[in-house]
Amino acid sequence: MEELVVDGRRARGDASRRAVLTFATDLASVGGLDGLSIGQLATASGHSKSSIAGLFQNKEGLQLATVAAGREVFIRVVVEPAREHERGLARLVALMHHLIEYSRTRVFTGGCFFAAITADVDSKPGPVRDAVRQAMALWYDYIAVQVRYAVDSGELRLDADGIEQVAFTLPALYEQANARSLLYNSDQPYRLAARGMCDLLTASGADPAALALLRR
């Protein structure tokens, strides 16, 4: 009976944590991690300050949990749907398509979650910056892996420098589109970014027919 009580409390605690983090990631996408506070989160989520403090212990704990939650959403919305496609060019194109849609449809109110929080932590050493850097490194490496697969399978014609350049430029086009869309409240930057991605991949040897998902 005691185990059931403990399990029930743990389940309720996990549910509360998930609910609070839904608000935390959205707030951080607008105001960054530095602007995220237990008091602000209590007001937004309807939970008490004491209950939130109990869930995360301190601001750093809240920030780390928010980074992890934001990454989970990103993987679910961008990465997992792309995994339905073959590795290489098809998956690379799907990644870029879902990436643009993730920002364009405002999965988070402030657009790209990681774009919003990176500026907060890029010059501040510590566990939070380490967590953000690791998440971004895994993402950039995953893009590079797909570019290399596309080259190895003959879908793209690039040398080592070209692989590095394409893996850098694709997310850079997206990041600029996200920033300009937010600034000007316009979808046009996404269209320009998708066109730029298509031009880059075509110049790298891609069959234009393989880029249809990005041309929608």
Side-chain angles (χ1 to χ4, degrees), residues 19-89:
V20 169
L21 285 172
T22 298
F23 288 96
T25 51
D26 202 54
L27 288 169
S29 77
V30 176
L33 287 172
D34 274 353
L36 187 63
S37 69
I38 289 176
Q40 178 193 36
L41 196 50
T43 300
S45 68
H47 289 71
S48 68
K49 290 182 182 180
S50 59
S51 66
I52 294 174
L55 291 170
F56 304 104
Q57 306 306 317
N58 53 39
K59 184 168 183 176
E60 183 178 277
L62 172 60
Q63 290 176 327
L64 289 169
T66 301
V67 172
R71 184 168 182 265
E72 287 178 3
V73 172
F74 184 87
I75 290 172
R76 185 175 70 248
V77 174
V78 176
V79 178
E80 288 181 354
R83 285 178 177 156
E84 297 175 4
H85 300 262
E86 291 292 327
R87 291 182 298 186
L89 183 59

Side-chain angles (χ1 to χ4, degrees), residues 29 44 47-50 65-66 77 87 92 129 156 158 166 175 178 182 187 194 203 207 216:
S29 77
H47 289 71
S48 68
K49 290 182 182 180
S50 59
T66 301
V77 174
R87 291 182 298 186
L92 182 64
R129 186 178 75 167
L156 296 176
L158 297 166
V166 169
E175 288 160 7
N178 174 76
L182 289 166
D187 277 357
D207 180 353
R216 290 182 180 178

Side-chain angles (χ1 to χ4, degrees), residues 84-137:
E84 297 175 4
H85 300 262
E86 291 292 327
R87 291 182 298 186
L89 183 59
R91 188 174 297 180
L92 182 64
V93 169
L95 281 171
M96 294 303 105
H97 167 72
H98 291 299
L99 182 64
I100 288 173
E101 289 301 293
Y102 151 80
S103 176
R104 189 187 67 79
T105 60
R106 300 294 187 258
V107 171
F108 295 110
T109 301
C112 181
F113 172 79
F114 281 99
I117 68 170
T118 299
D120 273 353
V121 302
D122 56 8
S123 61
K124 299 171 185 174
V128 178
R129 186 178 75 167
D130 291 345
V132 174
R133 287 178 65 173
Q134 181 183 32
M136 295 305 297

